[in-house]
Amino acid sequence: MRKLKKKVGDMMKFEERVLKHEFQLNDTDDEIIAYIRKNRYHIHKLSIQKVASDLYTVPNSVMRLAKKLGYNGFSELKVLIQQEDNSEEQISKAKIPTNVIKTIELINYDNLYEASKKMKTCKTIHFLGVGDSLSYCEMMVRHMRCIDKHAEYYQSYHDIDFQSRHCDKNDLLFIISASGENQRLIDVAKDAKERGVATISVTHFNKNGLSQVVDIPLYFYGEPRKVNGYNVNDRTGLMILLRELSEVFWRTYCV
């Protein structure tokens, strides 16, 4: 998976990189990002010195932002922004589904190891999800129980509400919600966090209510899709992320 990640590392769009690293950005970074957005259609013609001069900053600040967003430097940032319109064609040629490529790109191993550490040290992991997410909660419970880690999942809102209210700071709530906009789950996460309970979320890669309130947000890529009004969202990315998290957890748990 890591090899594949290197090959497709340039597939993430500029705005997606900004969202992925938003918690690492400072005020200067925000100003440079706003400048790039305003000038993106001719950014490839601008030098790093010109950008820095227009913003009354230094070229090193522009370079640091580029690297913070995962580019090799400002030159690569300019080239890849220019090429974004052709990304779908590149993905098609690679014969790899978009959601798979983008999920692999989104996997942040620092966050996976941080999540695994909390999963390892907590008393009980409570996996919460409803609808289509429920089967993934059940799968993760099996992944925990195979090494005797205490984990539970719940099949109704009543059980979710009851168990979450009775969690304490030694427990962990792990919430799976593709949209990240289920208000009842958001409220559960807020209440738990206020009481000192650790929280992790898994959602589609977008700015959503759930990922904004938990301790560790994890993302997969799977845009909402309907056929004849029926929900046929692709969960391949979700499965990839959860499997990789499980692999990291098994390695860290056995150390």
Side-chain angles (χ1 to χ4, degrees):
M1 183 172 287
R2 289 176 183 269
K3 259 188 185 178
L4 179 58
K5 189 173 182 179
K6 286 183 180 179
K7 289 180 181 178
V8 299
D10 60 351
M11 299 306 298
M12 185 175 288
K13 295 181 180 180
F14 174 75
E15 292 296 341
E16 294 169 341
R17 291 174 188 259
V18 172
L19 179 56
K20 179 180 179 181
H21 298 284
E22 64 176 337
F23 295 112
Q24 303 169 22
L25 304 177
N26 55 40
D27 290 342
T28 300
D29 294 332
D30 290 338
E31 290 180 4
I32 299 171
I33 289 168
Y35 180 94
I36 292 172
R37 284 170 174 160
K38 183 178 178 180
N39 299 279
R40 66 172 291 140
Y41 295 111
H42 61 274
I43 191 70
H44 60 283
K45 299 179 181 178
L46 303 180
S47 69
I48 192 170
Q49 291 81 9
K50 169 63 175 172
V51 175
S53 175
D54 286 351
L55 293 171
Y56 301 101
T57 186
V58 294
N60 280 347
S61 296
V62 182
M63 181 64 74
R64 278 196 296 269
L65 170 66
K67 293 189 173 181
K68 194 179 291 186
L69 295 179
Y71 299 103
N72 291 330
F74 185 64
S75 294
E76 185 182 51
L77 178 151
K78 293 193 295 182
V79 169
L80 292 183
I81 286 179
Q82 189 179 19
Q83 291 178 352
E84 281 183 4
D85 290 341
N86 299 322
S87 62
E88 291 301 321
E89 181 181 351
Q90 294 169 3
I91 291 170
S92 176
K93 289 179 179 178
K95 303 297 183 183
I96 302 172
T98 305
N99 60 312
V100 172
I101 289 178
K102 291 193 174 182
T103 294
I104 293 171
E105 276 216 339
L106 287 170
I107 293 177
N108 183 320
Y109 283 90
D110 289 338
N111 286 350
L112 291 193
Y113 278 102
E114 185 180 353
S116 296
K117 183 178 179 181
K118 289 185 179 295
M119 293 163 68
K120 178 179 179 179
T121 57
C122 72
K123 178 179 66 178
T124 301
I125 307 172
H126 300 272
F127 288 94
L128 310 182
V130 295
D132 292 341
S133 299
L134 189 59
S135 59
Y136 296 97
C137 294
E138 181 182 9
M139 178 190 73
M140 290 302 292
V141 168
R142 292 199 305 271
H143 286 183
M144 300 302 104
R145 288 179 177 172
C146 71
I147 51 175
D148 294 327
K149 179 66 186 181
H150 190 207
E152 302 287 346
Y153 78 101
Y154 311 100
Q155 300 192 33
S156 69
Y157 277 120
H158 173 77
D159 288 334
I160 289 174
D161 290 341
F162 179 83
Q163 294 295 338
S164 62
R165 286 199 306 271
H166 289 80
C167 288
D168 59 37
K169 62 182 181 180
N170 297 312
D171 293 312
L172 168 66
L173 294 190
F174 192 111
I175 307 171
I176 302 175
S177 172
S179 70
E181 296 296 353
N182 184 306
Q183 191 58 49
R184 292 187 69 168
L185 294 179
I186 293 172
D187 291 341
V188 164
K190 286 180 178 177
D191 177 69
K193 193 171 181 181
E194 287 173 359
R195 292 185 288 107
V197 180
T199 53
I200 297 173
S201 70
V202 172
T203 68
H204 165 57
F205 183 57
N206 63 350
K207 216 161 192 175
N208 59 77
L210 182 58
S211 66
Q212 298 297 304
V213 300
V214 299
D215 298 310
I216 305 176
L218 303 176
Y219 297 104
F220 69 96
Y221 196 86
E223 290 181 312
R225 185 183 175 193
K226 291 187 177 182
V227 174
N228 292 330
Y230 193 82
N231 184 347
V232 292
N233 295 350
D234 191 339
R235 296 290 193 270
T236 308
L238 174 57
M239 180 63 79
I240 290 172
L241 173 61
L242 292 178
R243 180 67 191 195
E244 194 66 6
L245 174 61
S246 297
E247 294 284 353
V248 169
F249 176 74
W250 291 329
R251 290 197 296 270
T252 57
Y253 193 93
C254 296
V255 170

